[in-house]
Amino acid sequence: MDATGLRDYLDGPYKAARDVVRDGLAEHAELLDAGLRLPRDEYRDQVLAMLQQITADGHPGRGFPKEYGGQGDLGGFIAGFETLAFGDLSLMVKAGVQFGLFAGAILQLGTTRHHEEYLADAINGRLLGCFAMTETGHGSNVQALGTTATYDPATEEFVVHTPDAAARKDYIGNAARHGRMAAVFAQLVVGGETHGVHCLLVPIRSLAGEALPGVTLSDCGPKLGLNGVDNGRIVFDHVRVPRTALLDRYAQVDAGGTYTSEIENPDRRFFTMLGTLVQGRVSVGGAAINASKVALTIAIRYALQRRQFGAPGSAEEALLLDYRMHQRRLLPLLAKTYALHFAQGELVDEFVRLFGKEGRNEDDEHDRRALEAQAAGTKALGTWHATETIQLCREACGGAGYLAENRLAALKADTDVFTTFEGDNTVLLQLVAKGLLTGYREAFGKLDPLGTARFIAAQAVEIAVEKTALRTLVERLRDVVPNRNDSADPDAGLRDDAYHCGLLRFREEHMLAGVARRLKAGIDAGVEPFEAFNRCQDHVIAAGRAHVDRVVLEAFLAGVQAAPEGEVRDRLKELYDLHALSTIEAERAWYIEHGRLSGPRSKAITALVNELCAQVRPHAGELVDAFGVPGPAVAVPMVVPSQHE
């Protein structure tokens, strides 16, 4: 098949933005092994130099308003950022800190005066910044941060302070070496009253590189990966900043010390502010998916060249990818990577719809909550998938895959933290499930066990999903597979799209209904809400995962249906079927327990997965070529370059 047509389809409307980054990565390929060649500080400085180069090329400005030197192309910006993951991941993360988080906080949380004073310098790399949210004692629980910003009306200043060791800002990108200003998240105290977490711009380092008075900066030291990013720690000792340092889009403090906000509910205000920063979560998920593409390109090309063993009496050994087990290890991962690619595309489209145009609707809270949940779920599955894929690709390349020169070691180390930054994946899936249980309502209280459980109890959730929706769904499944005696024809309908989607939707809705019943039963029995939620937390997270599995599958199906007719669509349909049936196969114990699969049908699914692997095998090389990973990024010693590069 022609990989070029498929690549163009995968690149979508942002092909030009992706190609600009691809070309830059190929031109500056020396960064790919800089982490192996250079001492840590020199490596960090080279990453900074490359960051300044992509800034000069204009990429970071794509996502920012034209009046501040940007191009107003938010979708192109995210696509380009994801494409950075084809290269050195320290560069990608540093770019994310500078442009997605620091400049993004100024854009989304600040007002015109902040934009005019800081934004152009931030997106042009003249003002290097940090995103100081995480603390030693609090990572995921942002509402409980310990740093304080207390207003002093006598001087019209905020006093930013770290009250104890647990409140130290920790793991802050750009803090150890390069950052001069930090977007600091702190408890805002005005007139003796705490108004919750807000963000302020706080200078931390002089132009000469010295820490400013009252600011203590330290280095987090060597990490498992991403050592080209200067993660550091920040401690504030009564640091004073002007009143205008408060990013005051959602809350204001006047000179006399009066706090006002158009959003009266403090919880809603907090989640509205954090919701505007969802871009980081969207971007990290996409970057992880692209890192998986790099690993699969290397491993599949290796498997198409490396020979091992062979039929008795044969003079030639067999290619690794001709072995069924090798196909089983790599090709379902390839199919899932394609599935996640299309799910990420849908997520970016929705993000651009809500955030990428002038005059966006501030009242569109339902869609924003839904977007946050979608971003959380896609990020969780995408980053877990990267961890699994890179590990299995490493194993599939044997000892050669263990050598640093072949890039899989760096990919494995550098992506490992993706599962916990921009949101711990387990916590994110909990957020997804809570959003589903509460229907993204505006006033469901805090995103914690107590608030969720109380809401569910107050609504007297008797979710009739199994009585109505699930019953209807089961009937639809029976229509797809008319003969309920699976042993008579266990293959019936196995490649039917409605069957795949129906099974995944059944699992999702059954799990959500079960969680709701368990929570309500516990509360009705007098169990404390926190304990009631804690007892079924594993069930909650499994329900969240089931939902995201279904969303990813349906996104892939939509991508197949929209593809050009002919070979591109045919290849994608084979991958879709492989992904759908592999997903069902992985959960077959659950389906058997709940009466949706018989033993013979389960075996038929396994047989068909094997058959689909054989169908995909002849096209595996072109399918990874279509990812468009720049040649130098996969030109590792153990692999001969592809003819398509």
Side-chain angles (χ1 to χ4, degrees):
M1 67 169 283
D2 177 16
T4 303
L6 179 55
R7 172 180 158 176
D8 289 345
Y9 181 60
L10 292 179
D11 279 351
Y14 306 116
K15 174 177 173 54
R18 298 182 199 275
D19 282 344
V20 166
V21 177
R22 285 183 176 117
D23 292 345
L25 292 175
E27 184 180 350
H28 300 282
E30 70 277 3
L31 189 63
L32 289 168
D33 66 348
L36 301 177
R37 294 185 287 103
L38 301 176
R40 189 169 74 245
D41 284 346
E42 291 183 32
Y43 177 29
R44 290 172 171 180
D45 289 345
Q46 187 160 341
V47 169
L48 174 61
M50 185 61 186
L51 181 76
Q52 292 166 334
Q53 179 61 53
I54 67 170
T55 300
D57 293 341
H59 166 64
R62 279 186 182 273
F64 292 89
K66 294 179 180 179
E67 57 265 37
Y68 303 112
Q71 300 176 34
D73 179 13
L74 186 55
F77 172 78
I78 294 176
F81 178 84
E82 294 171 355
T83 307
L84 282 174
F86 287 156
D88 178 90
L89 288 166
S90 286
L91 173 64
M92 185 274 296
V93 171
K94 196 171 184 74
V97 169
Q98 174 66 24
F99 306 114
L101 296 178
F102 175 64
I106 296 171
L107 176 65
Q108 298 295 344
L109 300 181
T111 48
T112 301
R113 68 167 174 263
H114 302 108
H115 300 163
E116 292 179 347
E117 185 172 357
Y118 299 112
L119 206 49
D121 285 344
I123 65 177
N124 287 313
R126 292 188 295 266
L127 174 63
L128 297 175
C130 310
F131 187 80
M133 178 181 283
T134 299
E135 294 179 356
T136 302
H138 285 98
S140 298
N141 188 6
V142 178
Q143 273 186 300
L145 294 177
T147 302
T148 57
T150 305
Y151 186 63
D152 180 357
T155 59
E156 295 188 32
E157 293 174 315
F158 286 100
V159 182
V160 180
H161 184 59
T162 305
D164 53 47
R168 173 186 64 181
K169 295 298 180 183
D170 210 343
Y171 221 91
I172 309 303
N174 268 351
R177 190 168 177 85
H178 298 138
R180 292 199 293 114
M181 179 175 280
V184 178
F185 289 79
Q187 302 289 347
L188 199 71
V189 182
V190 181
E193 181 180 355
T194 300
H195 293 278
V197 173
H198 292 64
C199 186
L200 304 91
L201 295 178
V202 183
I204 60 170
R205 187 179 270 112
S206 69
L207 283 171
E210 300 297 324
L212 293 175
V215 179
T216 301
L217 302 173
S218 57
D219 197 319
C220 288
K223 306 182 294 286
L224 175 63
L226 297 175
N227 283 301
V229 182
D230 53 324
N231 292 97
R233 301 182 174 108
I234 312 174
V235 174
F236 301 101
D237 183 5
H238 297 93
V239 175
R240 289 179 172 267
V241 294
R243 179 174 61 90
T244 54
L246 175 67
L247 296 178
D248 58 351
R249 178 176 180 180
Y250 294 103
Q252 301 79 39
V253 177
D254 68 17
T258 300
Y259 176 92
T260 56
S261 174
E262 292 182 359
I263 306 174
E264 294 184 6
N265 184 295
D267 293 319
R268 183 171 170 234
R269 182 168 60 242
F270 171 76
F271 288 112
T272 299
M273 286 192 289
L274 255 61
T276 65
L277 303 174
V278 70
Q279 179 176 323
R281 202 164 279 167
V282 172
S283 300
V284 167
I289 295 164
N290 274 5
S292 299
K293 295 175 186 177
V294 177
L296 283 164
T297 299
I298 293 171
I300 286 176
R301 288 181 180 177
Y302 182 75
L304 288 169
Q305 298 173 12
R306 180 77 157 90
R307 294 181 179 275
Q308 192 78 275
F309 303 109
S314 172
E316 188 174 48
E317 293 182 299
L319 288 170
L320 292 182
L321 203 58
D322 287 335
Y323 287 103
R324 176 55 49 79
M325 195 59 217
H326 213 78
Q327 295 171 9
R328 268 283 193 162
R329 295 166 87 180
L330 295 180
L331 299 185
L333 294 175
L334 176 65
K336 187 171 184 178
T337 302
Y338 268 81
L340 286 163
H341 173 94
F342 287 105
Q344 176 71 7
E346 285 193 353
L347 175 62
V348 171
D349 287 346
E350 180 66 2
F351 178 75
V352 171
R353 184 182 75 82
L354 290 172
F355 287 90
K357 58 187 178 183
E358 295 294 328
R360 52 185 185 267
N361 184 0
E362 297 288 355
D363 297 324
D364 198 6
E365 187 164 348
H366 178 281
D367 285 357
R368 288 181 181 241
R369 281 277 167 84
L371 173 69
E372 291 167 31
Q374 186 182 357
T378 305
K379 184 267 179 185
L381 256 66
T383 54
W384 269 329
H385 173 69
T387 297
E388 177 188 14
T389 298
I390 295 166
Q391 174 62 27
L392 287 175
C393 286
R394 205 295 299 159
E395 293 179 20
C397 293
Y402 198 65
L403 295 176
E405 66 182 11
N406 288 319
R407 285 212 70 198
L408 294 173
L411 281 171
K412 181 176 175 179
D414 288 346
T415 59
D416 192 79
V417 75
F418 286 15
T419 60
T420 50
F421 77 17
E422 284 299 322
D424 177 278
N425 284 355
T426 300
V427 175
L428 292 183
L429 286 185
Q430 187 168 280
L431 182 151
V432 170
K434 287 174 179 176
L436 295 167
L437 287 166
T438 56
Y440 308 117
R441 293 178 64 97
E442 289 186 10
F444 65 87
K446 297 180 179 180
L447 279 177
D448 61 14
L450 181 63
T452 303
R454 281 180 176 165
F455 175 84
I456 292 169
Q459 294 296 306
V461 178
E462 298 175 355
I463 296 181
V465 177
E466 286 189 275
K467 298 178 182 177
T468 55
L470 280 185
R471 181 175 297 163
T472 304
L473 185 55
V474 169
E475 292 302 323
R476 290 205 303 270
L477 288 174
R478 289 175 179 169
D479 291 340
V480 174
V481 189
N483 186 350
R484 295 302 300 153
N485 181 8
D486 288 347
S487 60
D489 186 8
D491 295 324
L494 284 186
R495 295 190 72 167
D496 191 299
D497 306 337
Y499 177 69
H500 306 149
C501 295
L503 275 184
L504 266 66
R505 186 172 288 277
F506 174 85
R507 184 165 183 263
E508 173 192 351
E509 294 183 356
H510 191 289
M511 283 190 161
L512 284 169
V515 169
R517 285 197 309 273
R518 286 182 64 186
L519 284 170
K520 185 173 186 298
I523 293 169
D524 288 348
V527 178
E528 287 292 322
F530 183 93
E531 180 60 25
F533 189 91
N534 193 45
R535 287 180 182 179
C536 59
Q537 190 178 29
D538 59 328
H539 196 164
V540 170
I541 291 165
R545 174 120 195 192
H547 167 75
V548 185
D549 281 342
R550 191 264 303 169
V551 169
V552 169
L553 182 77
E554 291 181 354
F556 196 1
L557 179 59
V560 173
Q561 293 170 341
E565 290 188 12
E567 197 169 21
V568 168
R569 187 184 295 180
D570 292 344
R571 299 290 79 77
L572 288 175
K573 182 58 168 67
E574 289 171 350
L575 287 171
Y576 164 82
D577 287 340
L578 177 56
H579 171 67
L581 292 168
S582 297
T583 302
I584 294 166
E585 182 188 39
E587 301 295 342
R588 59 184 171 180
W590 188 93
Y591 286 113
I592 290 171
E593 286 177 353
H594 292 81
R596 300 272 58 82
L597 280 183
S598 66
R601 195 162 184 77
S602 175
K603 293 178 181 178
I605 287 174
T606 294
L608 185 50
V609 169
N610 285 340
E611 181 182 327
L612 286 165
C613 284
Q615 289 180 22
V616 170
R617 155 64 184 93
H619 312 290
E622 290 84 359
L623 289 169
V624 294
D625 289 346
F627 290 147
V629 182
V634 286
V636 295
M638 69 176 177
V639 176
V640 176
S642 167
Q643 61 178 335
H644 298 285
E645 291 177 10

